[in-house]
Amino acid sequence: MGEGRTVSIQFYAELNDFILREKRDAAFEVYLNGPTSVKDLIESQGVPHTEVGSITCNHQAVDFCCLLNDGDQVSVYPVTAKVDPTRPGLLRSKPLPDIKFVLDTHLGKLAKYLRMLGFDTLYKNDYEDQQLAEIASQQQRIVLSRDRGLLKRKIIEYGHYVRHTQSLEQLAEIMQWLDIQKYMNPFSRCTTCNGLLNSVSKKDIASQLEPKTRQFYNEFKQCAECKQIYWKGTHYQRLEQIVQSITSETDTDKG
């Protein structure tokens, strides 16, 4: 087992974005010095395991723990259909009990949009990588990140490397990757702190409202955590249009 070995590996479709240009779209050989799992081989080439949808070794489906032998031929494929993390699969045998996210420091606006859709989403602009990984593992959350190194951490089971840089495009990307429309509960969470929103009587918060808001609006919600107040003003209407757009795009994808 201590002897070296040579295996052949090929990455397909968008997984080529992660590897050296000269290795893209073709099989290439890798020398292994000692026992090596498929996961270790894949990530040694720059591809986070969270981006992988399926793997074959010598034309047989395998999981990340498969140990490689001399002459093995490995093919690595991206996710080709929407992922439902609440259902088990060969590569990720422990389904999530529900849909929750934790985001790295580059994705603050995306966090607000996910909260707007009702998803439990943790975000701080000073999370360390180790802290993010531990939160994901302990609380069974999906990691969204633009840091490949973070997504390679073994304790992260579900995650995604966010390609886009604009927040609405990032949101569309996540909705195209995950089959989670059925879990949406728009306008049920605070976009600022992630707390749950509860209906509140106008008279109980009247002293906190601006005169025009108090005059023209009668229905309000308040965050149970930070106490921020929400109502259906022009900002709400713009967000509602975003929700409707996402919903219609998702329905089109299903069709």
Side-chain angles (χ1 to χ4, degrees), residues 4-240:
R5 67 211 69 186
T6 300
V7 301
S8 172
I9 185 168
Q10 181 169 355
F11 293 92
Y12 289 84
E14 60 263 33
L15 295 183
N16 282 281
D17 296 342
F18 295 100
I19 66 175
L20 294 175
R21 187 174 299 276
E22 60 267 24
K23 295 181 176 180
R24 295 176 183 175
D25 298 313
F28 57 92
E29 291 189 342
V30 179
Y31 177 79
L32 307 177
N33 186 14
T36 303
S37 69
V38 166
K39 177 181 180 295
D40 290 339
L41 171 63
I42 290 170
E43 296 195 325
S44 73
Q45 301 305 308
V47 180
H49 67 276
T50 56
E51 303 304 297
V52 177
S54 62
I55 310 165
T56 64
C57 182
N58 303 324
H59 309 291
Q60 298 294 319
V62 297
D63 62 18
F64 287 121
C65 297
C66 174
L67 291 176
L68 297 166
N69 296 303
D70 189 47
D72 281 346
Q73 296 180 346
V74 178
S75 297
V76 189
Y77 302 91
V79 175
T80 56
K82 285 194 174 184
V83 176
D84 185 347
T86 65
R87 295 185 176 184
L90 178 60
L91 298 185
R92 298 166 186 90
S93 58
K94 297 179 181 178
L96 300 179
D98 48 23
I99 304 298
K100 299 185 294 185
F101 297 96
V102 59
L103 277 60
D104 75 12
T105 58
H106 306 285
L107 301 174
K109 289 185 179 179
L110 175 60
K112 288 181 177 292
Y113 282 125
L114 287 169
R115 290 168 179 172
M116 178 191 73
L117 295 179
F119 293 111
D120 182 345
T121 304
L122 297 186
Y123 169 81
K124 288 183 180 179
N125 60 11
D126 58 354
Y127 275 141
E128 297 289 339
D129 282 3
Q130 182 61 29
Q131 186 181 12
L132 277 165
E134 289 174 352
I135 289 172
S137 177
Q138 294 168 5
Q139 299 184 23
Q140 295 181 286
R141 291 180 179 270
I142 301 167
V143 178
L144 301 180
S145 176
R146 288 184 53 79
D147 180 349
R148 302 181 193 185
L150 169 63
L151 293 171
K152 290 181 182 180
R153 292 182 177 242
K154 187 175 182 179
I155 62 174
I156 295 177
E157 190 158 10
Y158 289 93
H160 180 71
Y161 178 77
V162 180
R163 272 78 166 173
H164 289 89
T165 57
Q166 299 299 315
S167 54
L168 281 177
E169 291 178 350
Q170 291 171 341
L171 181 63
E173 177 183 336
I174 299 310
M175 298 302 292
Q176 290 167 6
W177 169 56
L178 291 173
D179 184 18
I180 56 174
Q181 183 180 349
K182 57 183 173 290
Y183 302 109
M184 286 170 43
N185 186 16
F187 309 113
S188 61
R189 285 190 177 271
C190 177
T191 58
T192 300
C193 80
N194 196 46
L196 291 172
L197 301 184
N198 299 312
S199 296
V200 61
S201 171
K202 182 177 179 178
K203 65 179 182 180
D204 291 338
I205 56 162
S207 62
Q208 302 175 54
L209 302 176
E210 295 292 335
K212 287 188 177 181
T213 303
R214 192 163 54 242
Q215 179 181 356
F216 293 108
Y217 299 97
N218 295 305
E219 295 182 3
F220 298 90
K221 288 186 176 183
Q222 188 171 35
C223 176
E225 302 296 329
C226 72
K227 306 305 179 184
Q228 181 166 325
I229 299 168
Y230 294 81
W231 61 93
K232 295 182 179 181
T234 54
H235 183 61
Y236 175 93
Q237 293 167 4
R238 185 176 69 85
L239 295 178
E240 192 171 45

Side-chain angles (χ1 to χ4, degrees), residues 235-255:
H235 183 61
Y236 175 93
Q237 293 167 4
R238 185 176 69 85
L239 295 178
E240 192 171 45
Q241 290 176 350
I242 293 172
V243 171
Q244 291 174 349
S245 174
I246 292 168
T247 303
S248 62
E249 287 179 6
T250 305
D251 287 340
T252 300
D253 290 343
K254 286 183 177 180

